Amino acid sequence: MENQIVKERTERTKWYNDARFGMFIHWGLYAIPARGEWVRSNERMPKEEYDVFMDEFYAENYNPKEWAKLAKKAGMKYAVLTAKHHDGFCLYDSRYTDFKSTNAPCKRDLVREFLDAFREEGIKVGLYFSIIDWRREDYPHYGDMFHPMRDNEAYKGMEHDFDGYLTYMHNQVRELLTNYGHLDLMWFDFSYGPMNCEKWKASELIKMVREIQPHIIIDNRLEGSAENAGSIRTLNPTAYSGDFASPEQMIPPQGIRDAGGNPIPWEACITLNNHWGYHAHDKHYKSAKMIIHTLVECVSKNGNLILNVGPDATGRIPRESVEILTEVGEWMEENGRSIYGCGISEFPKPEWGRFTQNGNKLYAHVMEEQVGAICLPEMAGKADRLRLLKDKSEVKETHFWNLKEYQENAFFFFDSGASDCYPLPDERDTVVEILLKE
Ligand code: GLC
């Protein structure tokens, strides 16, 4: 008998499993030091040294309509913005703190503008919310695993009213869920060591979340993290185990299943360079081809890709990110049907690329040019017809003289008129739609 929590999760995540491709946006004061969103922790930076950045936060180039158009052009179906990261700075008009964008020189509710702009483009919207808050006096400092003051003796023995912190944290979640309209997703981040589950009063928190926005899907980090997915992978998930797992900066080799072998929703969260928050000198960007291959790999394993952009302090998405997403979008424009609503195939991974599948439509993602015809392993007689997805042109199965020994397989080629070598129509990933025989 299916577990009720699993049943509700399956229902809630239908749109999410079809969407497959989302935008993550990490933006905040940390874009000013521009050394990544963990700068306070990494550099043991005192609160006073960090707070001053708020006085420079003009966000003068912030235009979320442009962000939304870029996400749409890239083929992204949902987007998640950091409403508050571990530094505690709120990109929205929180009732519970003065450390917020409406008190910065920009004087704007950045979250509200983000939600309005992305909804206008028909993109589903989510908010990332840090359950950690390094700026709060009532959050553990000395001896914590990550707090910026974790090894500062001055904080040794300091008392922290952690219940007071939880009241603050739960109140902020409530105001986000109450004051900003229909949200499709909440991305909580993250649990670690003793800081997990009921330490956050997670049962109480998730009860409130489900009461205010019952449809909303949440990640698994009230309980887990990128290192440990938590009970979402068991047959007895907790109420706060989340609706999807959140592997980070890697693609799970076999996708993610629960202890019963049932696929569970998951999204790989990946950066375009090597930082979530803006880093002025990290120019090591992944190519559009690599992003396309990564997206296809996620879908071929029943997962999603949420791809991060880190806008600079003025609110501009880095030019490199715009260029990559624009090229990915051109490929998605022609091949999105092999991504949206697709998942793992009934056929094993071929040597030249990957399969994604949606019912009786199998998508062959040919990523490497082959010597001779392209082999569909042990698929002789299984294909009704083959079409190049981008233009629906016929792709011919072949029975070349040199293939006669291997008739258990099917073969096809891209007939460019040349003999013996068949360049890929799209060297990044050429997609062939194979209509399978019933
Ligand atoms: C990790 C990073 C955090 C980032 C998150 C995104 O938890 O530490 O900064 O926001 O991944 O998935």
Side-chain angles (χ1 to χ4, degrees), residues 24 26 37-38 85-86 128 187 189-190 221 248 269 276:
F24 220 161
H26 276 70
E37 73 292 349
W38 273 63
H85 207 270
H86 310 330
Y128 165 110
W187 220 101
D189 191 40
F190 65 98
R221 295 191 181 187
E248 183 175 323
C269 49
W276 300 98

Side-chain angles (χ1 to χ4, degrees), residues 3 11 14 55 125 168 212 231 239 319 328 337 349 422:
N3 174 304
E11 187 52 38
K14 279 191 170 32
D55 301 338
V125 290
Y168 168 77
I212 301 171
S231 67
R319 177 183 48 76
V328 170
R337 278 190 300 281
K349 181 189 176 306
Y422 309 101

Side-chain angles (χ1 to χ4, degrees), residues 213-273:
Q213 302 223 21
H215 61 278
I216 205 167
I217 62 172
I218 68 164
D219 68 324
N220 63 325
R221 295 191 181 187
L222 283 179
E223 186 177 51
S225 64
E227 295 158 69
N228 159 19
S231 67
I232 192 170
R233 291 199 68 171
T234 71
L235 292 176
N236 190 22
T238 61
Y240 45 77
S241 56
D243 297 300
F244 59 89
S246 54
E248 183 175 323
Q249 302 287 42
M250 61 83 69
I251 311 302
Q254 287 80 31
I256 302 183
R257 295 172 183 272
D258 66 20
N262 309 299
I264 57 172
W266 59 271
E267 72 179 19
C269 49
I270 307 286
T271 53
L272 271 170
N273 54 9

Side-chain angles (χ1 to χ4, degrees), residues 411-432:
F411 294 89
F412 66 86
F413 71 113
F414 301 112
D415 185 359
S416 62
S419 64
D420 295 338
C421 78
Y422 309 101
L424 297 184
D426 185 331
E427 62 86 23
R428 298 166 302 187
D429 173 6
T430 297
V431 186
V432 176

